[in-house]
Amino acid sequence: MMSLWQSLCVLGSVTTELSSSDLSKGISLGGLNAVASHPIVLAGHKSTLALKGSLEPGVAPLNSLSEASAVGSLGRIAYKAAYKFKTKKPTLALSAVEMGTSIGTELSSGGLQKLSLTRAFADVAGLALKLSPSFNVPKREARLKASSSMGQGPEKLFVQVDYQVGGHDHQVTVGAEKDLGDGKLATAVLDPQNQELELEFCDQTLEPGATWTATATLKTDDLVATPAVKFSRSMAF
């Protein structure tokens, strides 16, 4: 089998991501990964072939290989077929848009894995609202995510509810996102059950062609504790 380095030379577009581990416990790298992709034509339809892997020494270089249809190449239906080298399992994701609602399903060699719907509403009490219910079949877990734009401004609010069917476990997360302009984005996510607040800041202006992301996770029950801090750098070439 071709090595990842050889594959990167063959495929057209490459994105690399370098991430750190928790810097509050010392400076160290958390991972160096790459995604190589190339547009292809399969049976007369346009699609994209993508290879994901690791560039770290001593780590298995290949993670997954996927092929996804281009938008509109098969009408309203889109697909993504993938193979994960670690688990040696293929997956297939299908999606379609019917009457303004996006319908998705994910299958693997073990059968149906996930069902999902997404519907956007342009004006609900003056707000743009998007609802995304989904159901994880093996875990019997239902999820509902709702997000709303605040008028025409750059702010977004969202809430996510996870519910275990047949049980009593549930989890709620709420968050806010603000586009600061000039390639900068700030996000805050509160997880009351785990008593965590995650703050994230993305900046595409620090380095040409690269996106730098800083993430800090604070414990809401102990605000004086040192937060977990991570950095990542993603670059396409």
Side-chain angles (χ1 to χ4, degrees):
M1 180 177 291
M2 207 182 274
S3 71
L4 179 60
W5 289 107
Q6 292 171 320
S7 301
L8 296 180
C9 294
V10 173
L11 298 174
S13 175
V14 180
T15 300
T16 60
E17 180 172 299
L18 177 65
S19 60
S20 73
S21 57
D22 183 2
L23 298 182
S24 66
K25 299 178 180 179
I27 299 176
S28 63
L29 296 180
L32 177 58
N33 302 303
V35 179
S37 61
H38 186 69
I40 61 174
V41 177
L42 186 64
H45 300 289
K46 294 181 179 179
S47 62
T48 300
L49 187 68
L51 177 67
K52 294 182 179 181
S54 173
L55 301 179
E56 295 181 76
V59 177
L62 298 180
N63 184 351
S64 65
L65 178 67
S66 65
E67 188 257 322
S69 61
V71 176
S73 65
L74 296 174
R76 291 177 296 179
I77 299 176
Y79 71 87
K80 181 179 180 180
Y83 180 81
K84 295 184 178 181
F85 293 95
K86 184 176 181 178
T87 60
K88 298 182 180 180
K89 291 183 178 180
T91 59
L92 176 64
L94 300 171
S95 62
V97 178
E98 291 291 340
M99 300 179 65
T101 300
S102 177
I103 306 169
T105 181
E106 295 181 13
L107 305 100
S108 73
S109 55
L112 182 63
Q113 300 296 304
K114 185 178 180 181
L115 295 169
S116 63
L117 299 173
T118 299
R119 180 66 183 260
F121 302 89
D123 189 355
V124 178
L127 299 176
L129 180 66
K130 180 185 289 187
L131 295 177
S132 303
S134 63
F135 183 69
N136 186 311
V137 178
K139 294 182 179 180
R140 294 180 56 80
E141 184 179 82
R143 168 175 291 180
L144 174 62
K145 183 174 182 179
S147 60
S148 175
S149 300
M150 305 299 290
Q152 299 298 320
E155 298 87 5
K156 292 182 180 180
L157 300 176
F158 54 88
V159 59
Q160 180 172 293
V161 180
D162 293 328
Y163 176 74
Q164 193 77 29
V165 178
H168 302 286
D169 294 336
H170 70 280
Q171 185 171 359
V172 179
T173 55
V174 295
E177 177 183 288
K178 182 176 179 62
D179 188 345
L180 303 175
D182 298 323
K184 299 180 178 67
L185 183 69
T187 306
V189 179
L190 176 64
D191 182 349
Q193 279 80 4
N194 293 318
Q195 298 180 313
E196 289 183 345
L197 174 63
E198 182 180 278
L199 305 175
E200 183 177 281
F201 177 73
C202 295
D203 193 336
Q204 297 177 332
T205 64
L206 288 176
E207 181 183 359
T211 299
W212 284 85
T213 303
T215 305
T217 303
L218 302 87
K219 299 296 291 184
T220 56
D221 60 338
D222 188 5
L223 295 178
V224 298
T226 303
V229 179
K230 296 182 180 181
F231 283 89
S232 68
R233 172 185 178 271
S234 176
M235 188 170 189
F237 56 91

